[in-house]
Amino acid sequence: MTARKLFKFSLIFILISVLNQSTHADDGYRLWLKYDKIIDTEVFNSYKKLIKAQLIIGNSATSHIIKKELALAFKGLFGEAIPESNELNENTLIVARQSDLPPGIVDQTNHQVMDLNAESFLIKTASIHNKPVIIITAKTDSGLLYGTFTFIRLLQTYQDISHLNIVSSPKIKLRLLNHWDNLDRTVERGYAGFSLWDWHKLPDYIHPYYIDYARANASIGINGTVLNNVNANALILTSLYLTKVAALAEVFRPYGIKVYLSIRFSAPIDIGGLKVSDPLNKDVQNWWKEKAKEIYDSIPDFGGFLVKANSEGQPGPGDYGRTHADGANMLADALKPYHGVVMWRAFVYDHNIKEDRAKQAFNEFKPLDGKFRDNVLVQVKNGPIDFQPREPFHPLFGATPHTPLMMEFQITQEYLGFSTHLVYLGTLFKEVLESDTYAQGQGSTVAKIIDGSLYGQKISGIAGIANTGTDRNWTGHIFAQANWYAFGRLAWDHSLSTQEIAEEWIQLSLSHDKEVIESIKKIMMSSRETTVNYMTPLGLHHIMGWSHHYGPAPWIKDKQRDDWTSVYYHRADKQGIGFDRTETGSNAVSQYAKPVREKFASFNSCPDEYLLWFHHLDWNYKMRSDKILWDELCYRYYAGARNVTRVKELWNSLQGKIDDAIFTHVKQMLAIQEKEAFWWRNACVLYFQTFSGLLIPADLKEPDKTLEYYQSLSFPFAPK
Ligand code: GCV
């Protein structure tokens, strides 16, 4: 080889090595289960000392999954496999159901395992024949799997594992994702591509991401999935589709995930050839019984039905003059022999009732308390309108001692910037869960109602509208993964703090560097408040683009329903702004328990966050900040937008400290978010100014475009 050629080859070699080091492009597919090699030598060595072999006892499908997951994790984290063992050696990791534990170990764990429920687990350092070991044990396979994922998470987050004694049980029984996925693979309010479920190729083709979806969910304790949209197509219940559903159920089963379906109430007519779907009609009742039997024949652990009825044009028992309880009970009776549940949604508002939409669910469901079968849960959105950036908690929480209420959160960001805006929802979820309803005196938090502890209810549940799709990174925005993650972690344990969840997620997904973690945590923790400020500060709500809900449009009026317009909600006029929900207005405030009612009803005690939700106030109303309302509104809008710029700068300072591909992805998203935050700010301030007639405070920069410009924008193909 000539010197010239040698030089050329060396150059290429150096170039390839440099590229290999600096352009590890993380596409986000691995979510929080990355298992990248441990970079901290001290941690690495301590783990290598403590885990020398793994012994997994059991022969079920779940045991095999556990074995595979641990092998994958060890290979990634340690760069090499940890040998599997058939016997107990020093520093062996033992994973076994309680009933399979070797006798010496049983003695050391028995009293703790006795307290476990079917999904709980114990992770413990112990010794057998004087040899130190680590044990993961549970009563069931699901518990073991949760314990395994928790143990892996300890390693991923570099925790000390030399003295472990973790007992963990889920606080809520049903922890579900709700997919608003249609059979044609579009996703209602989905911003991350198409539906994950490839119905056309099912049941024969099992896409590998079904398995990764199950792994991700199991790793955070989610134990159920409603596969299809609540605006349901009855075809899902035909045998053609049930075979496909059964195939998915089979994939998910060993991961402890049950499959549920949204049903269309008129299915007996749509696909059953009946003339009615009246819940009191014998033929209709029998049709559902037969259908339940058919489902359970192929999916023995089928979870049950989710129902949207008599809401936004969906059919329901009301079509026959029957109540929601009549409808729910008919389905509950059909599912009862197989231990299935009905999750009946409280998101209802009637076309013909001229009542404040915020009041309608309470008005319809409160009188039905105690009338539902014991396998019915009423699923309630977190607030009384519709997943707005901020709403007070739904007044039904606490109001139904005899009916278990299931929480419905929206993980997909329909009203929070789609998947383009970085908004960490952990803080929103937590704010709602910690709200005190005072239903049984102080401390009657929403969380205690949801987990069943306040009224001693036997079933409990929480659902999150999924933000997943076929986008390579699953959720559109890398940070939207954190919302899926936070939902799962809080569903398992609502006492976790949102900071600790954020920190955990950052370590699992982005970095172990302390400064980087702190910067990103700062970004995440303030992100929801920032968004509220540039979209709907001070309790404003429902002022977004018509139908697709993209961008600001407080000027929307004259639609087929008043309560689908923006002007209905903000009620701005020359005198002031806000929806009077006190006695002098719709009196929605009366639906809350006394101390809450009193707090919200007086503008002196009503928190600023909910002020315009409950009150119509003068533009010159003096706020706590000493500013007049108009000025405060402007400052909030400007602060929100300004904060996005700050976040952008903080993010840019992280270049080179996190994966390049992720850095660039988020950087571009933040640029869009910044543009849209300024758009929200300008459009809203200019529009409300037409009513207030007041100047934008002098220290704030005037918007550079006119209101007419913002009103002229249209987005015919915005996702919806
Ligand atoms: C699935 C809102 C959304 C609809 C959604 C509905 C619901 O109105 O905009 O897309 O429909 O809530 O939760 O049923």
Side-chain angles (χ1 to χ4, degrees), residues 441-508:
Q442 195 173 9
S444 309
T445 59
V446 171
K448 285 191 191 160
I449 290 149
I450 294 312
D451 69 16
S453 60
L454 191 72
Y455 294 122
Q457 281 148 352
K458 288 204 184 66
I459 42 175
S460 56
I462 183 165
I465 313 302
N467 60 353
T468 51
T470 50
D471 274 13
R472 181 69 190 160
N473 68 16
W474 300 87
T475 54
H477 197 307
I478 288 288
F479 276 83
Q481 295 181 352
N483 295 335
W484 178 7
Y485 184 81
F487 169 76
R489 298 287 286 129
L490 284 171
W492 180 275
D493 182 358
H494 53 67
S495 74
L496 291 173
S497 85
T498 46
Q499 267 110 321
E500 77 189 277
I501 297 174
E503 189 163 331
E504 210 173 78
W505 178 82
I506 299 165
Q507 284 178 278
L508 298 172

Side-chain angles (χ1 to χ4, degrees), residues 419-421 476-477 664-674:
S419 64
T420 352
H421 293 206
H477 197 307
T664 311
H665 158 85
V666 176
K667 185 179 165 171
Q668 293 187 54
M669 290 293 196
L670 284 171
I672 303 176
Q673 184 173 359
E674 185 186 36

Side-chain angles (χ1 to χ4, degrees), residues 8 19 58 67 129 133 211 288 308 510 545 554 570 573 575 588 652:
K8 218 167 128 184
L19 280 177
K67 205 177 276 185
H129 313 311
V133 291
I211 294 158
W288 282 108
K308 173 175 178 176
L510 299 173
H570 62 68
D573 53 27
Q575 184 235 334
N652 288 348

Side-chain angles (χ1 to χ4, degrees), residues 620-690:
N620 283 311
Y621 172 77
K622 214 35 172 308
M623 301 284 294
R624 284 193 189 90
S625 64
D626 239 17
K627 296 189 185 79
I628 58 163
L629 172 59
W630 164 251
D631 287 354
E632 179 78 29
L633 193 69
C634 292
Y635 280 113
R636 295 256 180 164
Y637 269 114
Y638 275 72
R642 194 181 318 116
N643 225 14
V644 182
T645 306
R646 289 207 184 116
V647 164
K648 193 187 76 177
E649 286 160 5
L650 188 50
W651 182 260
N652 288 348
S653 74
L654 300 176
Q655 181 157 24
K657 296 185 182 154
I658 52 171
D659 177 89
D660 281 350
I662 291 187
F663 173 79
T664 311
H665 158 85
V666 176
K667 185 179 165 171
Q668 293 187 54
M669 290 293 196
L670 284 171
I672 303 176
Q673 184 173 359
E674 185 186 36
K675 204 164 64 181
E676 295 187 355
F678 279 78
W679 168 31
W680 266 95
R681 180 196 83 177
N682 293 350
C684 292
V685 167
L686 287 173
Y687 171 76
F688 291 129
Q689 192 179 33
T690 63

Side-chain angles (χ1 to χ4, degrees), residues 136-150:
I136 304 175
T137 190
K139 285 192 168 158
T140 64
D141 275 350
S142 313
L144 269 194
L145 188 62
Y146 296 141
T148 303
F149 274 117
T150 303

